[in-house]
Amino acid sequence: DIQMTQSPSSLSASVGDRVTITCRASQTITNYLNWYQQKPGKAPKLLISAASSLQSGVPSRFSGSGSGTEFTLTISSLQPEDSATYDCQQSYSIPYSFGQGTKLEIK
Amino acid sequence: EVQLVESGGDLVQPGGSLRLSCAASGFTFSNCAMNWVRQTPGKGLEWVSAISGSGDDTYYADSVRGRFTISRDNSKNSLYLRMNSLRAEDTALYYCVKEGAPSFNDAFDNWGQGTMVTVSS
């Protein structure tokens, strides 16, 4: 089974900051890496699929990169509404697996 | 607009059974693999089970294999999860989740709002 490790587990940043979250896979998953945003009391929302493909309607300040075993989610200019938990997930092989989540707080 | 509406969550005693349902609309149901994903405050998101668009292929997490059964009725645009021999550690919010492809390895592009399962005496 593939293990996904996210870092950091939490972070606090200011409006306008550039924020980067990292996700590492225990073995290669090529580009089968997806990022989700979850706000309190809501279901997760797909932000980025296939490592770097931005979903329709997602602001362009969000971007994803990486391949193989190391991936990043970047928010280029943090906005107040970006306060949420971010999760990575591999869809390379079943059992699918998620990272443990990164809780992003706005200072 | 894609809609996924779960139902069936409840408080159940250890060893009991429950059947979750998910009513889907807004897309061609039979063209998409479907999943159940659960979430607990302490453990985050955990994939539980997947079924192909045709229903011919099913997969389970080790933690539920032999106790849970995923199924679908494409004529009713519905997904199900039969849960037997429930344990305290099955307590979670269960999401019905759509994949973009008919047979796996795609992102989870739509999620329901979840139905709560609590296993406790």
Side-chain angles (χ1 to χ4, degrees), chain B:
Chain B
E1 179 195 3
V2 172
Q3 283 200 322
L4 299 168
V5 180
E6 303 94 336
S7 61
D10 204 348
L11 170 63
V12 61
Q13 292 188 339
S17 298
L18 214 51
R19 187 203 199 202
L20 306 184
S21 299
C22 172
S25 60
F27 64 102
T28 304
F29 186 66
S30 60
N31 283 358
C32 298
M34 297 294 295
N35 295 259
W36 290 98
V37 174
R38 66 187 181 185
Q39 184 170 34
T40 58
K43 293 185 68 178
L45 294 164
E46 179 187 14
W47 172 81
V48 172
S49 184
I51 186 167
S52 61
S54 65
D56 290 342
D57 298 304
T58 59
Y59 296 93
Y60 299 93
D62 286 347
S63 57
V64 307
R65 186 176 294 111
R67 301 187 298 122
F68 291 11
T69 302
I70 191 171
S71 62
R72 64 191 296 159
D73 186 336
N74 287 345
S75 68
K76 296 182 178 179
N77 287 353
S78 293
L79 176 72
Y80 306 102
L81 186 68
R82 178 67 181 180
M83 310 165 70
N84 294 331
S85 303
L86 281 161
R87 306 167 179 167
E89 54 265 36
D90 296 319
T91 295
L93 183 65
Y94 284 73
Y95 290 105
C96 169
V97 183
K98 170 187 170 294
E99 282 191 53
S103 70
F104 314 122
N105 303 115
D106 206 345
F108 295 166
D109 61 4
N110 284 275
W111 298 62
Q113 285 306 299
T115 187
M116 188 67 202
V117 173
T118 303
V119 184
S120 175
S121 55

Side-chain angles (χ1 to χ4, degrees), chain A:
Chain A
D1 297 0
I2 298 173
Q3 314 303 320
M4 306 301 294
T5 304
Q6 262 181 262
S7 61
S9 56
S10 65
L11 76 153
S12 180
S14 300
V15 172
D17 282 355
R18 182 181 182 88
V19 170
T20 298
I21 298 169
T22 298
C23 184
R24 289 185 175 88
S26 60
Q27 63 189 74
T28 184
I29 56 172
T30 63
N31 71 333
Y32 285 85
L33 190 283
N34 311 302
W35 290 99
Y36 301 88
Q37 176 193 64
Q38 187 176 26
K39 296 186 177 180
K42 300 292 187 181
K45 171 189 171 184
L46 178 63
L47 293 179
I48 290 170
S49 63
S52 60
S53 180
L54 196 67
Q55 295 303 291
S56 174
V58 175
S60 59
R61 63 181 179 274
F62 290 91
S63 64
S65 64
S67 67
T69 62
E70 187 151 340
F71 303 85
T72 58
L73 171 70
T74 300
I75 307 173
S76 60
S77 179
L78 194 64
Q79 299 301 303
E81 61 267 30
D82 299 335
S83 176
T85 297
Y86 294 85
D87 292 277
C88 63
Q89 177 243 345
Q90 65 83 16
S91 52
Y92 180 79
S93 68
I94 291 175
Y96 298 137
S97 46
F98 292 87
Q100 75 273 29
T102 296
K103 187 171 185 178
L104 173 57
E105 174 193 275
I106 311 298
K107 286 181 184 174

